[in-house]
Amino acid sequence: MGRDCVTPTEDFIISEHSASKGLFIATCGSFHGWKFLPIIGHYVVQMLDGTLEADLKKRWAWDRPLPDTPGTEWPRRDLRELIDSVQS
């Protein structure tokens, strides 16, 4: 299974990107996350308005730490790599 389309905790990412000012990410965190798209907009609006609950903001952050799961190799690629290659 490709891990590039799954967040480590299989949670959403609803967050401003820490390396790109003005870039906001709203995506599902697992292969079955598409079914939540009809309601995710509510949380995206809260994120943009700055009213998203602190625990959800932390849980859905772009740059949350990867879990320490023995035997699991998480992708380490980041949008910064794409930005760096475009600016070069």
Side-chain angles (χ1 to χ4, degrees), residues 20-65:
S20 301
K21 186 176 179 169
L23 176 62
F24 298 88
I25 309 295
T27 187
C28 300
S30 67
F31 290 104
H32 66 88
W34 59 269
K35 62 188 170 191
F36 296 101
L37 290 176
I39 62 165
I40 201 172
H42 171 77
Y43 297 105
V44 172
V45 169
Q46 288 181 354
M47 184 246 330
L48 293 171
D49 286 344
T51 60
L52 187 62
E53 294 178 27
D55 61 325
L56 293 178
K57 187 175 180 177
K58 182 179 177 181
R59 182 176 184 165
W60 294 342
W62 171 268
D63 54 358
R64 61 184 173 245

